[in-house]
Amino acid sequence: MNNPLFYAKILLFGEYGIIEDSQGLTLPYSYYKGSLKFSDLDSDFILKSNSSLKKYTEYLETLELPSEFLLDVERLKNDIDKGLYFDSNIPQGYGVGSSGALVAAVFSKYAIKKFEPETISKDELKELKKIFGLLESYFHGKSSGIDPLICFMNLPILIENKESVDKVNIPAEEVGKGAIFLIDSGMVGETGPMVQIFFEKMKTEGFRKTLKEEFIHYNNACIHAFLKKEMNPFFRNLKSLSIWAYEHFKPMIPESLYKAWKKGLDTNAYYLKLCGSGGGGYILGFTKDYEKADEMLSGFQKEVIYRF
């Protein structure tokens, strides 16, 4: 394909925890996608994207990348002059990897050495994550490299710890009553300020203790149960995780969803959690009975991403 597609990503588990060495689980999400294309620069969107790529290239020129991961920046600059832009429907500020998909697309097209996702080793994944962290830092100040890695691989990825990631198989979808779904908070979230709030909280010993002893415990237990398809322990730990977030991540929960979050906990009809850094964008929902949850959350725009 001349214009390979790069899908959005969803961090199912691990928001904030991965900063402190928790596990994470992330999946590609094909509803949103982007692709590098050429055009006559005949619309505001295309002009803006082309101009953003130009600025991004100036940043890339300042990077000193290892020889194995070098980019052909000159070819990229020439292509930008010919009208290159990133054609994407991935919403920005929604926690689904808009900058990650762009970085993955640029790396895929302009990396001098070509990497095939199917044959990448675990060691190469680790190195690629570091490189993608450098490439994406332009957009967020500091990046773990996870988002572009997911978008590039287009496979579910298990974040084992800060250093190590691996490809993972998630249970096949089934046509059941249960679902994982996205709720649109109706507002854009900004990663920077939310992460700043988190680091402020980390300065207090009590918060650090509860994050390590409770949040990370529930988070990792959810991942293990989900991958083994053990739904009872999954939902038990998920409820604990949702309660913890309601108590400790309140600034990151969009105000429009406070009541709905609490309603899910009170009725056990569904449980909500952050999708990425929060503050806006999407929130993740989990339920054993989607029809019931859908009814209780009427008025919110929802998208089902996984059925069981």
Side-chain angles (χ1 to χ4, degrees):
M1 286 171 67
N2 291 332
N3 297 316
L5 291 169
F6 292 89
Y7 297 127
K9 63 83 212 180
I10 289 171
L11 183 65
L12 269 192
F13 293 99
E15 74 286 352
Y16 293 106
I18 54 176
I19 298 171
E20 292 301 309
D21 233 16
S22 82
Q23 293 189 334
L25 181 64
T26 181
L27 331 166
Y29 182 43
S30 61
Y31 185 81
Y32 293 121
K33 52 189 103 39
S35 174
L36 287 168
K37 292 181 181 175
F38 288 94
S39 169
D40 294 334
L41 306 181
D42 52 4
S43 80
D44 286 346
F45 173 83
I46 292 170
L47 265 170
K48 194 177 170 188
S49 176
N50 177 267
S51 169
S52 297
L53 275 174
K54 201 171 280 184
K55 286 178 190 149
Y56 181 47
T57 305
E58 289 168 13
Y59 167 75
L60 294 179
E61 285 184 301
T62 68
L63 293 180
E64 290 184 22
L65 298 173
S67 58
E68 198 183 353
F69 301 101
L70 285 176
L71 299 176
D72 190 344
V73 179
E74 282 309 308
R75 183 161 68 91
L76 172 58
K77 282 162 73 175
N78 289 336
D79 284 350
I80 290 168
D81 289 342
K82 291 175 192 167
L84 186 76
Y85 75 106
F86 190 55
D87 185 19
S88 166
N89 70 346
I90 306 171
Q92 294 185 353
Y94 265 65
V96 287
S98 54
S99 60
L102 169 60
V103 169
V106 167
F107 183 82
S108 176
K109 191 173 175 73
Y110 297 98
I112 293 166
K113 178 184 171 182
K114 297 301 169 194
F115 292 86
E116 295 301 327
E118 296 76 20
T119 58
I120 286 173
S121 69
K122 191 173 176 180
D123 283 344
E124 283 179 320
L125 270 181
K126 189 175 170 180
E127 290 307 307
L128 269 176
K129 178 177 167 294
K130 281 184 199 163
I131 297 303
F132 281 137
L134 284 172
L135 298 180
E136 201 191 26
S137 289
Y138 170 78
F139 299 98
H140 294 312
K142 192 174 191 320
S143 162
S144 67
I146 286 290
D147 285 10
L149 184 67
I150 311 313
C151 300
F152 179 73
M153 296 294 291
N154 194 26
L155 294 165
I157 297 282
L158 175 65
I159 302 155
E160 296 171 337
N161 53 48
K162 268 185 193 171
E163 294 297 319
S164 185
V165 293
D166 206 357
K167 296 177 257 192
V168 69
N169 290 316
I170 63 163
E173 281 195 76
E174 292 174 8
V175 184
K177 290 177 76 174
I180 302 175
F181 55 98
L182 294 173
I183 304 178
D184 189 342
S185 69
M187 56 194 283
V188 171
E190 285 187 52
T191 301
M194 295 298 109
V195 172
Q196 197 55 47
I197 290 168
F198 175 76
F199 282 123
E200 281 301 312
K201 282 176 164 287
M202 283 298 287
K203 289 176 183 175
T204 64
E205 193 184 333
F207 180 78
R208 285 200 307 274
K209 190 171 189 288
T210 182
L211 182 90
K212 289 196 164 115
E213 292 176 5
E214 296 178 52
F215 177 84
I216 289 177
H217 169 76
Y218 302 138
N219 175 79
N220 293 0
C222 282
I223 293 171
H224 294 163
F226 179 70
L227 292 177
K228 288 179 183 172
K229 215 172 175 184
E230 296 172 347
M231 297 323 267
N232 286 335
F234 174 69
F235 273 96
R236 192 170 62 244
N237 282 290
L238 186 61
K239 180 173 186 179
S240 298
L241 192 63
S242 186
I243 291 169
W244 191 96
Y246 188 74
E247 290 173 355
H248 297 281
F249 278 162
K250 211 147 202 178
M252 290 82 158
I253 298 172
E255 277 183 47
S256 57
L257 281 154
Y258 281 167
K259 285 182 182 169
W261 196 297
K262 184 78 165 54
K263 192 177 177 183
L265 292 171
D266 290 344
T267 59
N268 294 312
Y270 59 85
Y271 302 127
L272 303 185
K273 68 178 290 296
L274 298 179
C275 178
S277 57
Y282 287 118
I283 292 293
L284 273 162
F286 300 78
T287 180
K288 291 179 181 177
D289 184 344
Y290 183 68
E291 231 172 85
K292 185 180 176 184
D294 187 31
E295 207 174 294
M296 288 174 70
L297 291 161
S298 64
F300 289 103
Q301 205 176 321
K302 297 170 290 294
E303 293 168 28
V304 173
I305 60 170
Y306 183 86
R307 296 298 307 232
F308 57 88

Short mmCIF file of all heavy atoms in Angstrom, two decimals, residues 200-215 244 248:
data_model
loop_
_atom_site.label_atom_id
_atom_site.label_comp_id
_atom_site.label_asym_id
_atom_site.label_seq_id
_atom_site.Cartn_x
_atom_site.Cartn_y
_atom_site.Cartn_z
N GLU A 200 2.01 16.62 41.16
CA GLU A 200 1.79 17.36 42.40
C GLU A 200 1.29 16.42 43.50
O GLU A 200 1.74 16.46 44.64
CB GLU A 200 0.77 18.49 42.19
CG GLU A 200 1.34 19.74 41.52
CD GLU A 200 2.50 20.37 42.31
OE1 GLU A 200 2.34 20.56 43.53
OE2 GLU A 200 3.55 20.64 41.70
N LYS A 201 0.34 15.55 43.12
CA LYS A 201 -0.20 14.58 44.07
C LYS A 201 0.89 13.62 44.55
O LYS A 201 0.90 13.21 45.71
CB LYS A 201 -1.33 13.77 43.42
CG LYS A 201 -2.66 14.51 43.33
CD LYS A 201 -3.68 13.67 42.59
CE LYS A 201 -5.09 14.15 42.80
NZ LYS A 201 -5.64 13.88 44.13
N MET A 202 1.81 13.28 43.65
CA MET A 202 2.88 12.32 43.97
C MET A 202 3.85 12.86 45.03
O MET A 202 4.63 12.12 45.60
CB MET A 202 3.65 11.93 42.71
CG MET A 202 2.93 10.94 41.82
SD MET A 202 2.62 9.35 42.59
CE MET A 202 4.28 8.67 42.60
N LYS A 203 3.77 14.18 45.28
CA LYS A 203 4.66 14.76 46.30
C LYS A 203 4.22 14.39 47.71
O LYS A 203 4.98 14.55 48.66
CB LYS A 203 4.70 16.29 46.14
CG LYS A 203 5.47 16.75 44.90
CD LYS A 203 5.40 18.26 44.74
CE LYS A 203 6.11 18.70 43.45
NZ LYS A 203 5.94 20.15 43.23
N THR A 204 2.96 13.92 47.85
CA THR A 204 2.49 13.56 49.20
C THR A 204 2.66 12.06 49.41
O THR A 204 2.30 11.25 48.55
CB THR A 204 1.02 13.96 49.42
OG1 THR A 204 0.21 13.20 48.51
CG2 THR A 204 0.79 15.43 49.17
N GLU A 205 3.19 11.72 50.56
CA GLU A 205 3.52 10.31 50.85
C GLU A 205 2.27 9.42 50.84
O GLU A 205 2.29 8.29 50.35
CB GLU A 205 4.22 10.22 52.22
CG GLU A 205 4.86 8.86 52.45
CD GLU A 205 5.47 8.74 53.85
OE1 GLU A 205 5.84 9.79 54.42
OE2 GLU A 205 5.53 7.62 54.34
N GLY A 206 1.17 9.95 51.37
CA GLY A 206 -0.07 9.17 51.43
C GLY A 206 -0.55 8.75 50.05
O GLY A 206 -0.97 7.61 49.84
N PHE A 207 -0.49 9.70 49.10
CA PHE A 207 -0.94 9.39 47.74
C PHE A 207 -0.01 8.37 47.10
O PHE A 207 -0.46 7.42 46.45
CB PHE A 207 -1.00 10.67 46.90
CG PHE A 207 -1.46 10.41 45.48
CD1 PHE A 207 -2.80 10.21 45.20
CD2 PHE A 207 -0.55 10.34 44.43
CE1 PHE A 207 -3.24 9.96 43.90
CE2 PHE A 207 -0.97 10.09 43.13
CZ PHE A 207 -2.31 9.91 42.87
N ARG A 208 1.30 8.56 47.27
CA ARG A 208 2.27 7.60 46.69
C ARG A 208 2.01 6.19 47.21
O ARG A 208 2.06 5.22 46.47
CB ARG A 208 3.71 8.01 47.04
CG ARG A 208 4.23 9.20 46.26
CD ARG A 208 5.75 9.27 46.29
NE ARG A 208 6.32 9.24 47.62
CZ ARG A 208 6.50 10.32 48.39
NH1 ARG A 208 6.14 11.51 47.94
NH2 ARG A 208 7.03 10.22 49.59
N LYS A 209 1.71 6.11 48.51
CA LYS A 209 1.49 4.81 49.16
C LYS A 209 0.23 4.14 48.58
O LYS A 209 0.25 2.96 48.21
CB LYS A 209 1.34 5.02 50.67
CG LYS A 209 1.35 3.75 51.50
CD LYS A 209 1.42 4.12 52.99
CE LYS A 209 1.65 2.90 53.87
NZ LYS A 209 0.48 2.02 53.97
N THR A 210 -0.87 4.89 48.51
CA THR A 210 -2.11 4.29 48.03
C THR A 210 -2.02 3.96 46.53
O THR A 210 -2.60 2.97 46.07
CB THR A 210 -3.35 5.17 48.32
OG1 THR A 210 -4.51 4.49 47.86
CG2 THR A 210 -3.31 6.52 47.64
N LEU A 211 -1.27 4.76 45.77
CA LEU A 211 -1.09 4.46 44.35
C LEU A 211 -0.39 3.11 44.18
O LEU A 211 -0.82 2.27 43.40
CB LEU A 211 -0.27 5.57 43.66
CG LEU A 211 -0.10 5.35 42.15
CD1 LEU A 211 -1.23 6.01 41.37
CD2 LEU A 211 1.23 5.89 41.65
N LYS A 212 0.69 2.93 44.94
CA LYS A 212 1.49 1.70 44.80
C LYS A 212 0.77 0.48 45.36
O LYS A 212 0.79 -0.59 44.78
CB LYS A 212 2.86 1.88 45.49
CG LYS A 212 3.74 2.85 44.70
CD LYS A 212 5.21 2.76 45.09
CE LYS A 212 6.06 3.44 44.03
NZ LYS A 212 6.75 4.61 44.48
N GLU A 213 0.13 0.67 46.55
CA GLU A 213 -0.46 -0.49 47.23
C GLU A 213 -1.86 -0.84 46.74
O GLU A 213 -2.27 -2.00 46.82
CB GLU A 213 -0.49 -0.25 48.75
CG GLU A 213 0.90 -0.22 49.36
CD GLU A 213 0.87 0.10 50.85
OE1 GLU A 213 -0.24 0.20 51.43
OE2 GLU A 213 1.97 0.26 51.43
N GLU A 214 -2.60 0.16 46.25
CA GLU A 214 -3.98 -0.11 45.84
C GLU A 214 -4.16 0.01 44.33
O GLU A 214 -4.47 -0.98 43.66
CB GLU A 214 -4.93 0.83 46.58
CG GLU A 214 -4.92 0.59 48.09
CD GLU A 214 -5.83 1.55 48.82
OE1 GLU A 214 -7.01 1.65 48.45
OE2 GLU A 214 -5.36 2.21 49.77
N PHE A 215 -3.94 1.21 43.79
CA PHE A 215 -4.19 1.43 42.36
C PHE A 215 -3.44 0.43 41.48
O PHE A 215 -4.03 -0.23 40.62
CB PHE A 215 -3.81 2.87 41.97
CG PHE A 215 -3.96 3.15 40.49
CD1 PHE A 215 -5.19 3.51 39.97
CD2 PHE A 215 -2.89 3.03 39.62
CE1 PHE A 215 -5.35 3.75 38.61
CE2 PHE A 215 -3.03 3.27 38.27
CZ PHE A 215 -4.27 3.64 37.76
N TRP A 244 -11.34 3.77 43.44
CA TRP A 244 -10.07 4.45 43.75
C TRP A 244 -9.92 5.71 42.89
O TRP A 244 -9.56 6.78 43.40
CB TRP A 244 -8.90 3.49 43.50
CG TRP A 244 -7.60 4.01 44.04
CD1 TRP A 244 -7.02 3.72 45.24
CD2 TRP A 244 -6.70 4.95 43.40
NE1 TRP A 244 -5.83 4.40 45.40
CE2 TRP A 244 -5.61 5.16 44.29
CE3 TRP A 244 -6.71 5.62 42.19
CZ2 TRP A 244 -4.56 6.02 43.98
CZ3 TRP A 244 -5.67 6.49 41.88
CH2 TRP A 244 -4.60 6.68 42.77
N HIS A 248 -9.47 9.51 44.15
CA HIS A 248 -8.13 10.09 44.05
C HIS A 248 -7.83 10.82 42.73
O HIS A 248 -6.87 11.59 42.67
CB HIS A 248 -7.07 9.00 44.27
CG HIS A 248 -7.13 8.38 45.62
ND1 HIS A 248 -6.60 8.98 46.74
CD2 HIS A 248 -7.68 7.21 46.03
CE1 HIS A 248 -6.81 8.20 47.79
NE2 HIS A 248 -7.46 7.13 47.39
#
